Amino acid sequence: MAKVFLACLVLISFAMAVSAARPATATADAPSAGNCDQDLQDLIANCQDYVKFPAEPKIPPSQACCAVIQRANIPCLCSKVTPTIEGIICMEKVVYVANYCKRPLQPGSNCGSYHVPGQLA
């Protein structure tokens, strides 16, 4: 049970951070709110190994992980990132994985309390 809870926290954090891959404001094709429970489950199943602490080494994610990131409701997921989750998930790795999967987090945006390095364009 604790392992499942930890996995959920890790992937929620990851999903939230990846949500910043879209502009900080919602777009027409990605609502900022809604039910992203399935996205969360898919992230847990496919991405958790790539975003857990320690910060190094950074491991390129699988194609399955990237596929989840590409279709996930990132704004919804990012809205669920808490300080507790940020203590489990390495947000630097989240940024790395999102970049690798070609859905980078917008510089200057926030995911949970994490500030994505860089300035808003």
Side-chain angles (χ1 to χ4, degrees):
M1 185 71 158
K3 184 176 181 182
V4 171
F5 178 74
L6 176 62
C8 287
L9 289 178
V10 168
L11 289 177
I12 287 172
S13 181
F14 174 71
M16 308 304 190
V18 172
S19 71
R22 298 231 177 184
T25 58
T27 61
D29 63 335
S32 62
N35 185 340
C36 48
D37 292 343
Q38 186 59 53
D39 291 343
L40 177 58
Q41 292 303 314
D42 293 344
L43 284 168
I44 292 168
N46 293 287
C47 300
Q48 68 179 336
D49 291 339
Y50 308 109
V51 297
K52 294 187 288 190
F53 280 106
E56 296 296 335
K58 291 178 178 69
I59 302 166
S62 66
Q63 289 181 340
C65 176
C66 285
V68 171
I69 292 168
Q70 288 297 315
R71 69 175 181 268
N73 180 341
I74 300 302
C76 176
L77 291 168
C78 204
S79 70
K80 297 181 180 185
V81 174
T82 66
T84 300
I85 291 169
E86 291 176 22
I88 298 168
I89 297 298
C90 177
M91 297 303 286
E92 289 179 31
K93 280 186 170 181
V94 169
V95 169
Y96 167 78
V97 170
N99 286 339
Y100 186 93
C101 294
K102 302 196 180 355
R103 196 165 179 201
L105 304 181
Q106 184 167 338
S109 64
N110 291 310
C111 189
S113 68
Y114 180 78
H115 182 77
V116 179
Q119 296 180 346
L120 286 172

